[in-house]
Amino acid sequence: MTIRDPLFVVVLFLFCISSAKDMSRSLICYQCMYFVAHSVQMVEVLSVTVHCTVASRFTHTVMTSTALNKANSSQEIFFEVDLPKTAFITNFSMEIEGQIYVGVVNEKEQAKKQYEKAVSSGRTAGLVKASGRKMEKFSVSVNIAAESNVTFILTYEELLQRKFGKYEILTRINPKQLVENFQIVADIYEPQGIAFVDAHATFLSNELLPLVEKTVTDNKAHISFSPTLDQQRKCPECDGSLINGDFIIKYDVKRASSLGDIQIVNGYFVHFFAPPDLPRIRKNVVFVIDRSGSMAGPKMIQTRVAMESILSDVHPDDYFGIILFDSSIEPWKQSLTKATEENVDEAIKFVRQIYPRGTTNINDSVMKAIHMLQDDRRNKKLPERSVDMIILLTDGMPNEGESNLQRIQQNVCEAIGGNMTLFCLGFGDDVDYSFLDVMAKQNNGVARRIYEASDATLQLQGFYDEVASPLLSAVDLRYPDNAVDSLTPHHFSQLFNGSEIVVAGRLSENDMDNFLVEVFANGASVTDWDVIYPEKDYIFGDFTERLWAYLTIQQLLETSGPAEKKSNATAKALEMSLKYSFVTPLTSMVVTKPETEDGPSGPLIADKLTEGRTAGEAGRRTQLSWYDLSIASHCVFVVVDGDPHFMIELPEREDALCFNINDSPGTIFNLVKDPSIGLLVNGQTIGDKMVAPDGKVNTYFGRLGVVHHSLGVRLEVTTEYITLHSDSTIHSISTFSPNPSVDLLLTKDRSVKVTLRDSVKFVILLHKVWKMHPYHQDYLGFYTLDSHLLSPSVHGLLGQFYHGIEFEVGDQRPGEVPEKPDATMYVKGHQLNVTRGWQRDFRKDLKRGKNVPCWFIHSNGTGLIDGSAEDYIVSGLFKTV
């Protein structure tokens, strides 16, 4: 198909929001709730309600939102929610034109088959999950008719965990517009009595603070926040909303005379154990720190700073040791040392001298720490009544010494023999988190991911603070065999200050006179308990049974050991997940979407992720699983336009990166290459008509080539014509017939949208220049839609950023131009000097564009792009080399 002087359309999009059949899409996200539309006024959020009910730490949260499509045509509306990682979704439904569509929890394999069936018939699945630090993202889209409403209802449940002496309920909110009916409500019922309740939000101003209403009685609390439209405004005449951030409720329960309490409802009990005023136990801790080459840059700097702070906080009665490792093992001392002021100062000087080098030997470094603790125990150098722990910090895979992950786990487990606790901290996205998680749990500890960010130091310190003060060790809670069954875990290596042990079980008889509970810890026996029967008026149904099921499923999912034992545990966890309608890593929630004018839609699949499956999702796009639609935890927008300017926009971070590629006119660069699906996009530069008086040679993209080998399609777009090669035929506009493999949409605003069947969409903009201009000439801009359909192996000058980019910027300082400061950027292991500047974004205004602030990377993007610009030069418009 050949077309002269084409006319194009500007399409507004983010990588996580794309157009569907020339209908704009919108995005609603609550608990991080917002709409983004082609025209915001076309979608109105009528109501947002979050109602959280808490009964004895077990939360039941219902999130409801209603939106109106004000357009005169149908629109696809996205509903997106951030919910806690530890929560299980229990229900999701949509109400559209009086019809309710309810989700059903199915075995994951069944959900997969439903998805594949939908895809094979040309339909799509529209529900995805992505994970961040504390939260997971739930997203769903549905097509809504003109002037129609849709109501989304999501329900999830979780057990609140006590940390630092309090429970926390976190709600993330960002409506992105003013909402007529906006409300957050929490009702807390704690039979033990409520010690305190605090409610605040990161976005609360002095004017909004009085709107947080709080009523607290002995064992009940009611918190509400319901600002009016005017109270939500950023300023009296603004349409922008102040509501953007975290709404946080913190509370604790009374722990007066008894050492704990047992609550019984409908034949199930839950036992909360967090005795007050216990003296701390002395601890012996060995810090095992990775100093391999991959730790270079900010990670090493942040680790040194964190270790200085942690060492300063080690209790004077504790003993500690430090082991550094790369390919070699270097202990600070051959034995643990008491944390005297003199020893701590000496240790701080030692960690200040840690520099990255070499490869990674995890096995020998951890074994060295184990032997150090064992030798000191054997030689009676450590207090008899104390606990032993190892804290391992690493950012990579073992590639020196023993590298087989299972053998490392076996070696460590056999050496520890249940006599000490191992905590594993995985720094960044390249670490095998599941390996660390299993190894920690095998040795009575936990694993934690440390995210590469400016607050990594605080993350490290925060973890240490959680485990710094053990109160009891070898805690064993015992219940009468003839009175209970189906107990959740009731043996614990330690109880830390500010935390809580929770055990649940099923009663086999109702004779509570014989319900004797004992707790043994360090040889002490405790039998002083309060038995409480919560008031039914203030609880939600069978909460103790659901709490028991919640804990039991988590225990079964963490089962390790022989294959048969693990298989039996998995089968039982699946059975319980289905029975109680929990979306767990073994199940998925399936929602049948309503039919549209294009026929029936595919099912929505809600999946539960695990930390090990979501490496790198804080700021990076990830292929989530074999049947999810990929979605970035942070939206990414990548474009090339201008002379030629490459820009990577990160809207959720409210920042952008940019760089130029300068080369001779006629050079052809690879922009996108995805060998998995046979996709290739190349661009050829053109120059000005003549060199300007200042001698500067400007180049632009004047020719683009798109190839999809699987579809047999080859498309050439220039500033003057478009040619489509399909089935070995060159089509002219007069002979072109509808092609099932490719769809071209041309409009008068000078753009073409290219849709490749079951694949990605592109938008190419034509920038028209006055024909009599002495220097400049017409040029093209290139934008990508539906990038989630590209595989993780996609690359190219643009393609390498489709999965996002992680970077940190610091040391901001004056630049050569006052309004363009310089700074230091840490990205891809490089330390770069960058400059604050602007690039034009033509998505909304093709003629003038919009200035977007960005950090400019000099020297053709060196350090930001993989390799150098020359590596992307190819020999032809449709060539890969």
Short mmCIF file of all heavy atoms in Angstrom, two decimals, residues 111 212 267 280 304 640 735:
data_model
loop_
_atom_site.label_atom_id
_atom_site.label_comp_id
_atom_site.label_asym_id
_atom_site.label_seq_id
_atom_site.Cartn_x
_atom_site.Cartn_y
_atom_site.Cartn_z
N ALA A 111 -7.36 -21.92 35.46
CA ALA A 111 -7.35 -20.52 35.00
C ALA A 111 -6.46 -20.36 33.77
O ALA A 111 -6.78 -19.64 32.84
CB ALA A 111 -6.87 -19.62 36.13
N VAL A 212 -9.94 13.90 59.95
CA VAL A 212 -9.75 12.52 60.40
C VAL A 212 -10.46 12.38 61.74
O VAL A 212 -10.00 12.88 62.76
CB VAL A 212 -8.27 12.17 60.54
CG1 VAL A 212 -8.10 10.72 61.03
CG2 VAL A 212 -7.55 12.35 59.21
N GLY A 267 -16.00 -22.75 67.51
CA GLY A 267 -15.22 -23.97 67.47
C GLY A 267 -13.79 -23.81 67.03
O GLY A 267 -13.07 -24.80 66.85
N ARG A 280 15.26 -8.39 77.82
CA ARG A 280 15.84 -8.88 76.57
C ARG A 280 16.89 -9.95 76.85
O ARG A 280 17.50 -10.00 77.92
CB ARG A 280 16.47 -7.72 75.78
CG ARG A 280 17.70 -7.11 76.43
CD ARG A 280 18.27 -5.96 75.61
NE ARG A 280 18.70 -6.39 74.30
CZ ARG A 280 19.89 -6.95 74.07
NH1 ARG A 280 20.74 -7.17 75.06
NH2 ARG A 280 20.24 -7.28 72.86
N ARG A 304 27.88 0.34 53.77
CA ARG A 304 28.84 0.87 54.75
C ARG A 304 28.13 1.81 55.74
O ARG A 304 28.36 1.73 56.96
CB ARG A 304 29.97 1.61 54.03
CG ARG A 304 30.97 0.69 53.32
CD ARG A 304 32.26 1.44 52.99
NE ARG A 304 32.04 2.48 52.01
CZ ARG A 304 32.31 2.35 50.71
NH1 ARG A 304 32.78 1.20 50.25
NH2 ARG A 304 32.11 3.34 49.88
N VAL A 640 11.08 8.31 20.73
CA VAL A 640 12.14 9.03 20.02
C VAL A 640 11.47 10.03 19.09
O VAL A 640 10.54 9.71 18.36
CB VAL A 640 13.07 8.08 19.25
CG1 VAL A 640 12.32 7.24 18.22
CG2 VAL A 640 14.19 8.88 18.57
N THR A 735 -5.39 -0.99 -4.67
CA THR A 735 -5.56 -2.44 -4.70
C THR A 735 -5.51 -3.06 -3.32
O THR A 735 -5.71 -4.25 -3.16
CB THR A 735 -4.44 -3.10 -5.54
OG1 THR A 735 -3.18 -2.79 -4.93
CG2 THR A 735 -4.46 -2.57 -6.96
#
